[in-house]
Amino acid sequence: MADRNGVPRRKPVPPPSGQQLPEGWASDLTVAFRRKLSTKRMNELTRRSSSQRRSSSRVPTDFFTDNRQPPPLPSRHGFDASSQPPIPSRQAPVSPPPQLPLPPPQAPPEYESLKNLPSIPVAPNDSKSLRFRSMLMSLSNTPCRWENPGLLDEALGVVPLQRIYDQAQEESDLFMAEAASLGPHFKPAWGYQDCVVRALMKWFKQEFFEWVNNPLCATCHTRTIAHGMAAPLPDEQARGANRVELYQCANQQCLSFERFPRYNDAFVLLQTRRGRSGEWVNCFTMLCRAVGSRVRWVWNAEDHVWAEVYSVHRKRWVHVDCCEGQWDTPLLYSQGWGKKLSYCIAFSADGCCDVTRRYVRNPTDHAAPRNRCSEGVLSHIIREITAMRRRDMDKKEKFRLNADDMREDAELRKVIIEALAFNVSRILPGGDGGPRNDPDAQKAAEARSSAVTEVRRGVDRKQHTGSRDPRQQ
Ligand SMILES: [Zn+2]
């Protein structure tokens, strides 16, 4: 199974035995590696592409409309964000939190995101829910646009693969040495393929892609001032830009206009190599796919996007924010930036998942109201998208993906139950109320302090704070 997602480790370099390695040894290896990746993707994608085409052309309204659809719950059980937490019923089995003593003096914390626990799917039937459904359906196409073996291969042409594989090998060796030093039963923190994505992110952020707020004037290189939107030119439209921001040079002698087309085609972005989080994550996630990883594109309702990459080594999805250069720091937004999050929905070429619980561990402090639709409706939409993506897969593949989903659900339940237990213990008499001894929280704090350092260095990061201009995504 590791073969399907994981890129096989490179053969170790032969130990120096006095004789030189043949000329071109490394580049031959790179070519062979790329060929292997390409074949792997080809097999995977050709098997899927015909079925994807078939399923995407169907109108996906009939998935849960047969007798599998349960009757709607009484409104008291509707998981509406404005109502109190639902009472778990026999119809909606919810894992009970561990038996903990009740905190007597203070009111117990409200656990909004416990409402994200899988609930009975209910088909959307009001205009607000239908609008949300149609938006999610449309967002769900993003990762499918990358599933083109030819374009993915071409994309690798811009990546200094040899350097990235070398760095990955070096880091992977370090992780192995570290594990070996701890004892025979320790596993390296990350595997080789994880290290490939880490090296890719470093290169992407430091050398390849450029962050643009207001583009500089092309004539005199002075800063520009936002001047509204413009209609896309035929060339811009042909390359997929439906929105073009217009800027005017601040230099009174110049006053030239500068156009900033917002491209959302990852392959076009390989050429333009600039943008904000939307462009960054689109292009970077496609490249992660190109180097053979399973990827997700995560949409957050509070105006941010990021990626998740599946770690075969850790058997779980890993948060990756290429704009921030952050790896496996899911609490960056809530505990690091102090943002409140409502929905974080992950889309991939083979499904859809509500991953909010990974990013919001303490709903009292960091959950924003989830009021775009009821939780039952959201669950229905997510199942609908997943069913659409998996419709024509063979049984074995579906079974494997379902097992992954169940493992992830158990993981997400566990983090919420741990957070619940921690917060209850904190408000009990004698609870320390101090910072949580949680490695994820620790990393979020580190990420925050490194962001502060960068601000001090003069890097403009205001677009990443809660108060940033929503147009700056
Ligand atoms: Zn100018």
Side-chain angles (χ1 to χ4, degrees), residues 330-360:
L331 302 186
L332 172 68
Y333 315 110
S334 56
Q335 300 194 13
W337 296 354
K339 263 181 102 166
K340 284 180 188 284
L341 309 173
S342 56
Y343 298 98
C344 305
I345 312 286
F347 300 101
S348 68
D350 50 32
C352 173
C353 182
D354 178 2
V355 290
T356 313
R357 286 173 286 167
R358 179 169 292 128
Y359 299 94
V360 180

PDB file of all heavy atoms in Angstrom, residues 330-360:
ATOM      1  N   PRO A 330      -1.113  22.533  12.730  1.00  0.00           N
ATOM      2  CA  PRO A 330      -2.538  22.791  12.503  1.00  0.00           C
ATOM      3  C   PRO A 330      -3.116  23.896  13.403  1.00  0.00           C
ATOM      4  O   PRO A 330      -4.152  24.456  13.081  1.00  0.00           O
ATOM      5  CB  PRO A 330      -3.206  21.439  12.785  1.00  0.00           C
ATOM      6  CG  PRO A 330      -2.221  20.666  13.594  1.00  0.00           C
ATOM      7  CD  PRO A 330      -0.866  21.149  13.183  1.00  0.00           C
ATOM      8  N   LEU A 331      -2.435  24.200  14.516  1.00  0.00           N
ATOM      9  CA  LEU A 331      -2.989  25.231  15.398  1.00  0.00           C
ATOM     10  C   LEU A 331      -2.449  26.618  15.086  1.00  0.00           C
ATOM     11  O   LEU A 331      -2.650  27.562  15.849  1.00  0.00           O
ATOM     12  CB  LEU A 331      -2.715  24.862  16.865  1.00  0.00           C
ATOM     13  CG  LEU A 331      -3.286  23.499  17.271  1.00  0.00           C
ATOM     14  CD1 LEU A 331      -3.115  23.264  18.754  1.00  0.00           C
ATOM     15  CD2 LEU A 331      -4.756  23.386  16.888  1.00  0.00           C
ATOM     16  N   LEU A 332      -1.767  26.743  13.942  1.00  0.00           N
ATOM     17  CA  LEU A 332      -1.215  28.031  13.532  1.00  0.00           C
ATOM     18  C   LEU A 332      -2.276  29.130  13.503  1.00  0.00           C
ATOM     19  O   LEU A 332      -2.055  30.237  13.989  1.00  0.00           O
ATOM     20  CB  LEU A 332      -0.600  27.877  12.136  1.00  0.00           C
ATOM     21  CG  LEU A 332      -0.136  29.146  11.439  1.00  0.00           C
ATOM     22  CD1 LEU A 332       1.066  29.737  12.153  1.00  0.00           C
ATOM     23  CD2 LEU A 332       0.238  28.862   9.982  1.00  0.00           C
ATOM     24  N   TYR A 333      -3.437  28.823  12.947  1.00  0.00           N
ATOM     25  CA  TYR A 333      -4.443  29.867  12.728  1.00  0.00           C
ATOM     26  C   TYR A 333      -5.182  30.212  14.017  1.00  0.00           C
ATOM     27  O   TYR A 333      -5.389  31.371  14.326  1.00  0.00           O
ATOM     28  CB  TYR A 333      -5.425  29.416  11.636  1.00  0.00           C
ATOM     29  CG  TYR A 333      -4.697  28.818  10.460  1.00  0.00           C
ATOM     30  CD1 TYR A 333      -4.756  27.450  10.178  1.00  0.00           C
ATOM     31  CD2 TYR A 333      -3.869  29.616   9.672  1.00  0.00           C
ATOM     32  CE1 TYR A 333      -4.035  26.900   9.130  1.00  0.00           C
ATOM     33  CE2 TYR A 333      -3.136  29.069   8.623  1.00  0.00           C
ATOM     34  CZ  TYR A 333      -3.226  27.711   8.361  1.00  0.00           C
ATOM     35  OH  TYR A 333      -2.492  27.170   7.338  1.00  0.00           O
ATOM     36  N   SER A 334      -5.579  29.180  14.771  1.00  0.00           N
ATOM     37  CA  SER A 334      -6.355  29.442  15.975  1.00  0.00           C
ATOM     38  C   SER A 334      -5.448  29.939  17.101  1.00  0.00           C
ATOM     39  O   SER A 334      -5.556  31.079  17.543  1.00  0.00           O
ATOM     40  CB  SER A 334      -7.127  28.191  16.387  1.00  0.00           C
ATOM     41  OG  SER A 334      -6.225  27.106  16.566  1.00  0.00           O
ATOM     42  N   GLN A 335      -4.505  29.102  17.525  1.00  0.00           N
ATOM     43  CA  GLN A 335      -3.673  29.514  18.660  1.00  0.00           C
ATOM     44  C   GLN A 335      -2.533  30.437  18.248  1.00  0.00           C
ATOM     45  O   GLN A 335      -2.095  31.258  19.037  1.00  0.00           O
ATOM     46  CB  GLN A 335      -3.147  28.271  19.380  1.00  0.00           C
ATOM     47  CG  GLN A 335      -4.298  27.429  19.887  1.00  0.00           C
ATOM     48  CD  GLN A 335      -3.878  26.380  20.897  1.00  0.00           C
ATOM     49  OE1 GLN A 335      -2.775  26.406  21.424  1.00  0.00           O
ATOM     50  NE2 GLN A 335      -4.766  25.454  21.167  1.00  0.00           N
ATOM     51  N   GLY A 336      -2.047  30.291  17.016  1.00  0.00           N
ATOM     52  CA  GLY A 336      -0.943  31.135  16.561  1.00  0.00           C
ATOM     53  C   GLY A 336      -1.411  32.535  16.205  1.00  0.00           C
ATOM     54  O   GLY A 336      -0.900  33.517  16.718  1.00  0.00           O
ATOM     55  N   TRP A 337      -2.415  32.633  15.352  1.00  0.00           N
ATOM     56  CA  TRP A 337      -2.885  33.948  14.908  1.00  0.00           C
ATOM     57  C   TRP A 337      -4.076  34.454  15.717  1.00  0.00           C
ATOM     58  O   TRP A 337      -4.512  35.585  15.515  1.00  0.00           O
ATOM     59  CB  TRP A 337      -3.314  33.879  13.434  1.00  0.00           C
ATOM     60  CG  TRP A 337      -2.218  33.559  12.473  1.00  0.00           C
ATOM     61  CD1 TRP A 337      -0.889  33.431  12.741  1.00  0.00           C
ATOM     62  CD2 TRP A 337      -2.367  33.325  11.061  1.00  0.00           C
ATOM     63  NE1 TRP A 337      -0.200  33.127  11.593  1.00  0.00           N
ATOM     64  CE2 TRP A 337      -1.080  33.061  10.540  1.00  0.00           C
ATOM     65  CE3 TRP A 337      -3.450  33.320  10.184  1.00  0.00           C
ATOM     66  CZ2 TRP A 337      -0.851  32.785   9.199  1.00  0.00           C
ATOM     67  CZ3 TRP A 337      -3.225  33.041   8.845  1.00  0.00           C
ATOM     68  CH2 TRP A 337      -1.934  32.783   8.363  1.00  0.00           C
ATOM     69  N   GLY A 338      -4.636  33.596  16.555  1.00  0.00           N
ATOM     70  CA  GLY A 338      -5.813  34.004  17.340  1.00  0.00           C
ATOM     71  C   GLY A 338      -7.070  34.150  16.494  1.00  0.00           C
ATOM     72  O   GLY A 338      -7.975  34.899  16.837  1.00  0.00           O
ATOM     73  N   LYS A 339      -7.118  33.439  15.383  1.00  0.00           N
ATOM     74  CA  LYS A 339      -8.303  33.533  14.511  1.00  0.00           C
ATOM     75  C   LYS A 339      -9.401  32.606  14.993  1.00  0.00           C
ATOM     76  O   LYS A 339      -9.131  31.568  15.579  1.00  0.00           O
ATOM     77  CB  LYS A 339      -7.920  33.085  13.093  1.00  0.00           C
ATOM     78  CG  LYS A 339      -7.588  34.217  12.163  1.00  0.00           C
ATOM     79  CD  LYS A 339      -7.243  33.691  10.798  1.00  0.00           C
ATOM     80  CE  LYS A 339      -8.383  33.851   9.807  1.00  0.00           C
ATOM     81  NZ  LYS A 339      -7.935  33.652   8.411  1.00  0.00           N
ATOM     82  N   LYS A 340     -10.628  33.003  14.722  1.00  0.00           N
ATOM     83  CA  LYS A 340     -11.746  32.098  14.974  1.00  0.00           C
ATOM     84  C   LYS A 340     -12.130  31.467  13.644  1.00  0.00           C
ATOM     85  O   LYS A 340     -12.262  32.172  12.637  1.00  0.00           O
ATOM     86  CB  LYS A 340     -12.946  32.870  15.540  1.00  0.00           C
ATOM     87  CG  LYS A 340     -12.777  33.253  16.999  1.00  0.00           C
ATOM     88  CD  LYS A 340     -14.010  34.017  17.469  1.00  0.00           C
ATOM     89  CE  LYS A 340     -13.841  34.590  18.853  1.00  0.00           C
ATOM     90  NZ  LYS A 340     -13.945  33.612  19.928  1.00  0.00           N
ATOM     91  N   LEU A 341     -12.288  30.161  13.623  1.00  0.00           N
ATOM     92  CA  LEU A 341     -12.561  29.455  12.371  1.00  0.00           C
ATOM     93  C   LEU A 341     -13.923  28.760  12.438  1.00  0.00           C
ATOM     94  O   LEU A 341     -14.273  28.182  13.469  1.00  0.00           O
ATOM     95  CB  LEU A 341     -11.479  28.409  12.103  1.00  0.00           C
ATOM     96  CG  LEU A 341     -10.010  28.858  12.178  1.00  0.00           C
ATOM     97  CD1 LEU A 341      -9.080  27.671  12.051  1.00  0.00           C
ATOM     98  CD2 LEU A 341      -9.698  29.879  11.106  1.00  0.00           C
ATOM     99  N   SER A 342     -14.656  28.820  11.346  1.00  0.00           N
ATOM    100  CA  SER A 342     -15.941  28.107  11.321  1.00  0.00           C
ATOM    101  C   SER A 342     -15.816  26.803  10.531  1.00  0.00           C
ATOM    102  O   SER A 342     -15.976  25.722  11.078  1.00  0.00           O
ATOM    103  CB  SER A 342     -17.033  28.996  10.730  1.00  0.00           C
ATOM    104  OG  SER A 342     -16.668  29.462   9.444  1.00  0.00           O
ATOM    105  N   TYR A 343     -15.499  26.925   9.241  1.00  0.00           N
ATOM    106  CA  TYR A 343     -15.410  25.720   8.413  1.00  0.00           C
ATOM    107  C   TYR A 343     -14.014  25.584   7.806  1.00  0.00           C
ATOM    108  O   TYR A 343     -13.485  26.542   7.230  1.00  0.00           O
ATOM    109  CB  TYR A 343     -16.387  25.804   7.246  1.00  0.00           C
ATOM    110  CG  TYR A 343     -17.843  25.898   7.636  1.00  0.00           C
ATOM    111  CD1 TYR A 343     -18.493  27.130   7.689  1.00  0.00           C
ATOM    112  CD2 TYR A 343     -18.574  24.745   7.925  1.00  0.00           C
ATOM    113  CE1 TYR A 343     -19.832  27.217   8.027  1.00  0.00           C
ATOM    114  CE2 TYR A 343     -19.908  24.827   8.268  1.00  0.00           C
ATOM    115  CZ  TYR A 343     -20.544  26.064   8.316  1.00  0.00           C
ATOM    116  OH  TYR A 343     -21.859  26.153   8.647  1.00  0.00           O
ATOM    117  N   CYS A 344     -13.430  24.403   7.916  1.00  0.00           N
ATOM    118  CA  CYS A 344     -12.223  24.062   7.167  1.00  0.00           C
ATOM    119  C   CYS A 344     -12.573  22.766   6.434  1.00  0.00           C
ATOM    120  O   CYS A 344     -12.717  21.716   7.062  1.00  0.00           O
ATOM    121  CB  CYS A 344     -11.033  23.813   8.084  1.00  0.00           C
ATOM    122  SG  CYS A 344     -10.694  25.178   9.207  1.00  0.00           S
ATOM    123  N   ILE A 345     -12.751  22.870   5.135  1.00  0.00           N
ATOM    124  CA  ILE A 345     -13.201  21.710   4.364  1.00  0.00           C
ATOM    125  C   ILE A 345     -12.081  21.292   3.405  1.00  0.00           C
ATOM    126  O   ILE A 345     -11.578  22.120   2.640  1.00  0.00           O
ATOM    127  CB  ILE A 345     -14.475  22.026   3.547  1.00  0.00           C
ATOM    128  CG1 ILE A 345     -15.540  22.716   4.411  1.00  0.00           C
ATOM    129  CG2 ILE A 345     -15.026  20.756   2.893  1.00  0.00           C
ATOM    130  CD1 ILE A 345     -16.255  21.848   5.389  1.00  0.00           C
ATOM    131  N   ALA A 346     -11.699  20.028   3.479  1.00  0.00           N
ATOM    132  CA  ALA A 346     -10.608  19.520   2.644  1.00  0.00           C
ATOM    133  C   ALA A 346     -11.173  18.800   1.419  1.00  0.00           C
ATOM    134  O   ALA A 346     -12.035  17.943   1.546  1.00  0.00           O
ATOM    135  CB  ALA A 346      -9.747  18.554   3.453  1.00  0.00           C
ATOM    136  N   PHE A 347     -10.661  19.180   0.265  1.00  0.00           N
ATOM    137  CA  PHE A 347     -11.086  18.543  -0.989  1.00  0.00           C
ATOM    138  C   PHE A 347      -9.908  17.829  -1.617  1.00  0.00           C
ATOM    139  O   PHE A 347      -8.794  18.361  -1.658  1.00  0.00           O
ATOM    140  CB  PHE A 347     -11.582  19.604  -1.978  1.00  0.00           C
ATOM    141  CG  PHE A 347     -12.750  20.410  -1.475  1.00  0.00           C
ATOM    142  CD1 PHE A 347     -12.562  21.696  -0.975  1.00  0.00           C
ATOM    143  CD2 PHE A 347     -14.025  19.890  -1.502  1.00  0.00           C
ATOM    144  CE1 PHE A 347     -13.631  22.450  -0.509  1.00  0.00           C
ATOM    145  CE2 PHE A 347     -15.111  20.637  -1.040  1.00  0.00           C
ATOM    146  CZ  PHE A 347     -14.908  21.915  -0.547  1.00  0.00           C
ATOM    147  N   SER A 348     -10.173  16.642  -2.130  1.00  0.00           N
ATOM    148  CA  SER A 348      -9.134  15.938  -2.880  1.00  0.00           C
ATOM    149  C   SER A 348      -9.783  15.325  -4.107  1.00  0.00           C
ATOM    150  O   SER A 348     -10.998  15.389  -4.276  1.00  0.00           O
ATOM    151  CB  SER A 348      -8.499  14.852  -2.017  1.00  0.00           C
ATOM    152  OG  SER A 348      -9.436  13.837  -1.773  1.00  0.00           O
ATOM    153  N   ALA A 349      -8.943  14.705  -4.936  1.00  0.00           N
ATOM    154  CA  ALA A 349      -9.499  14.098  -6.146  1.00  0.00           C
ATOM    155  C   ALA A 349     -10.336  12.870  -5.795  1.00  0.00           C
ATOM    156  O   ALA A 349     -11.093  12.383  -6.627  1.00  0.00           O
ATOM    157  CB  ALA A 349      -8.369  13.702  -7.083  1.00  0.00           C
ATOM    158  N   ASP A 350     -10.206  12.368  -4.548  1.00  0.00           N
ATOM    159  CA  ASP A 350     -11.009  11.194  -4.217  1.00  0.00           C
ATOM    160  C   ASP A 350     -11.920  11.386  -3.011  1.00  0.00           C
ATOM    161  O   ASP A 350     -12.322  10.428  -2.372  1.00  0.00           O
ATOM    162  CB  ASP A 350     -10.120   9.950  -4.043  1.00  0.00           C
ATOM    163  CG  ASP A 350      -8.959  10.194  -3.108  1.00  0.00           C
ATOM    164  OD1 ASP A 350      -9.109  10.998  -2.175  1.00  0.00           O
ATOM    165  OD2 ASP A 350      -7.882   9.594  -3.318  1.00  0.00           O
ATOM    166  N   GLY A 351     -12.246  12.634  -2.686  1.00  0.00           N
ATOM    167  CA  GLY A 351     -13.200  12.816  -1.608  1.00  0.00           C
ATOM    168  C   GLY A 351     -13.221  14.209  -1.021  1.00  0.00           C
ATOM    169  O   GLY A 351     -12.615  15.136  -1.563  1.00  0.00           O
ATOM    170  N   CYS A 352     -13.929  14.317   0.093  1.00  0.00           N
ATOM    171  CA  CYS A 352     -14.139  15.602   0.752  1.00  0.00           C
ATOM    172  C   CYS A 352     -14.304  15.316   2.233  1.00  0.00           C
ATOM    173  O   CYS A 352     -14.879  14.294   2.607  1.00  0.00           O
ATOM    174  CB  CYS A 352     -15.405  16.213   0.155  1.00  0.00           C
ATOM    175  SG  CYS A 352     -15.939  17.707   0.967  1.00  0.00           S
ATOM    176  N   CYS A 353     -13.771  16.185   3.075  1.00  0.00           N
ATOM    177  CA  CYS A 353     -13.838  15.913   4.518  1.00  0.00           C
ATOM    178  C   CYS A 353     -13.869  17.238   5.289  1.00  0.00           C
ATOM    179  O   CYS A 353     -13.174  18.183   4.932  1.00  0.00           O
ATOM    180  CB  CYS A 353     -12.600  15.099   4.912  1.00  0.00           C
ATOM    181  SG  CYS A 353     -12.566  14.626   6.632  1.00  0.00           S
ATOM    182  N   ASP A 354     -14.698  17.268   6.310  1.00  0.00           N
ATOM    183  CA  ASP A 354     -14.710  18.430   7.200  1.00  0.00           C
ATOM    184  C   ASP A 354     -13.590  18.230   8.221  1.00  0.00           C
ATOM    185  O   ASP A 354     -13.677  17.365   9.087  1.00  0.00           O
ATOM    186  CB  ASP A 354     -16.066  18.519   7.901  1.00  0.00           C
ATOM    187  CG  ASP A 354     -16.125  19.684   8.877  1.00  0.00           C
ATOM    188  OD1 ASP A 354     -15.138  20.436   8.977  1.00  0.00           O
ATOM    189  OD2 ASP A 354     -17.167  19.846   9.538  1.00  0.00           O
ATOM    190  N   VAL A 355     -12.524  19.026   8.086  1.00  0.00           N
ATOM    191  CA  VAL A 355     -11.355  18.831   8.954  1.00  0.00           C
ATOM    192  C   VAL A 355     -11.227  19.938  10.006  1.00  0.00           C
ATOM    193  O   VAL A 355     -10.166  20.136  10.577  1.00  0.00           O
ATOM    194  CB  VAL A 355     -10.052  18.743   8.123  1.00  0.00           C
ATOM    195  CG1 VAL A 355     -10.010  17.450   7.326  1.00  0.00           C
ATOM    196  CG2 VAL A 355      -9.898  19.931   7.189  1.00  0.00           C
ATOM    197  N   THR A 356     -12.336  20.655  10.255  1.00  0.00           N
ATOM    198  CA  THR A 356     -12.290  21.775  11.197  1.00  0.00           C
ATOM    199  C   THR A 356     -11.700  21.358  12.550  1.00  0.00           C
ATOM    200  O   THR A 356     -10.934  22.100  13.155  1.00  0.00           O
ATOM    201  CB  THR A 356     -13.702  22.347  11.403  1.00  0.00           C
ATOM    202  OG1 THR A 356     -14.296  22.506  10.120  1.00  0.00           O
ATOM    203  CG2 THR A 356     -13.666  23.681  12.114  1.00  0.00           C
ATOM    204  N   ARG A 357     -12.047  20.159  12.984  1.00  0.00           N
ATOM    205  CA  ARG A 357     -11.583  19.724  14.304  1.00  0.00           C
ATOM    206  C   ARG A 357     -10.065  19.635  14.400  1.00  0.00           C
ATOM    207  O   ARG A 357      -9.502  19.708  15.476  1.00  0.00           O
ATOM    208  CB  ARG A 357     -12.193  18.347  14.640  1.00  0.00           C
ATOM    209  CG  ARG A 357     -13.670  18.436  14.995  1.00  0.00           C
ATOM    210  CD  ARG A 357     -14.272  17.060  15.156  1.00  0.00           C
ATOM    211  NE  ARG A 357     -14.470  16.400  13.874  1.00  0.00           N
ATOM    212  CZ  ARG A 357     -14.743  15.105  13.733  1.00  0.00           C
ATOM    213  NH1 ARG A 357     -14.817  14.332  14.787  1.00  0.00           N
ATOM    214  NH2 ARG A 357     -14.928  14.591  12.537  1.00  0.00           N
ATOM    215  N   ARG A 358      -9.394  19.459  13.262  1.00  0.00           N
ATOM    216  CA  ARG A 358      -7.927  19.419  13.302  1.00  0.00           C
ATOM    217  C   ARG A 358      -7.357  20.812  13.613  1.00  0.00           C
ATOM    218  O   ARG A 358      -6.281  20.935  14.191  1.00  0.00           O
ATOM    219  CB  ARG A 358      -7.388  18.928  11.955  1.00  0.00           C
ATOM    220  CG  ARG A 358      -5.876  18.885  11.882  1.00  0.00           C
ATOM    221  CD  ARG A 358      -5.369  18.154  10.646  1.00  0.00           C
ATOM    222  NE  ARG A 358      -5.661  16.746  10.705  1.00  0.00           N
ATOM    223  CZ  ARG A 358      -6.285  16.060   9.743  1.00  0.00           C
ATOM    224  NH1 ARG A 358      -6.663  16.660   8.637  1.00  0.00           N
ATOM    225  NH2 ARG A 358      -6.529  14.781   9.889  1.00  0.00           N
ATOM    226  N   TYR A 359      -8.097  21.860  13.226  1.00  0.00           N
ATOM    227  CA  TYR A 359      -7.568  23.226  13.311  1.00  0.00           C
ATOM    228  C   TYR A 359      -8.135  24.009  14.489  1.00  0.00           C
ATOM    229  O   TYR A 359      -7.597  25.034  14.860  1.00  0.00           O
ATOM    230  CB  TYR A 359      -7.816  23.943  11.979  1.00  0.00           C
ATOM    231  CG  TYR A 359      -7.101  23.218  10.867  1.00  0.00           C
ATOM    232  CD1 TYR A 359      -7.739  22.241  10.094  1.00  0.00           C
ATOM    233  CD2 TYR A 359      -5.736  23.420  10.664  1.00  0.00           C
ATOM    234  CE1 TYR A 359      -7.047  21.519   9.127  1.00  0.00           C
ATOM    235  CE2 TYR A 359      -5.044  22.704   9.708  1.00  0.00           C
ATOM    236  CZ  TYR A 359      -5.706  21.757   8.937  1.00  0.00           C
ATOM    237  OH  TYR A 359      -5.005  21.038   8.006  1.00  0.00           O
ATOM    238  N   VAL A 360      -9.248  23.537  15.036  1.00  0.00           N
ATOM    239  CA  VAL A 360      -9.851  24.204  16.185  1.00  0.00           C
ATOM    240  C   VAL A 360      -9.937  23.188  17.314  1.00  0.00           C
ATOM    241  O   VAL A 360     -10.810  22.335  17.332  1.00  0.00           O
ATOM    242  CB  VAL A 360     -11.273  24.728  15.847  1.00  0.00           C
ATOM    243  CG1 VAL A 360     -11.889  25.423  17.052  1.00  0.00           C
ATOM    244  CG2 VAL A 360     -11.217  25.672  14.663  1.00  0.00           C
TER     245      VAL A 360
END
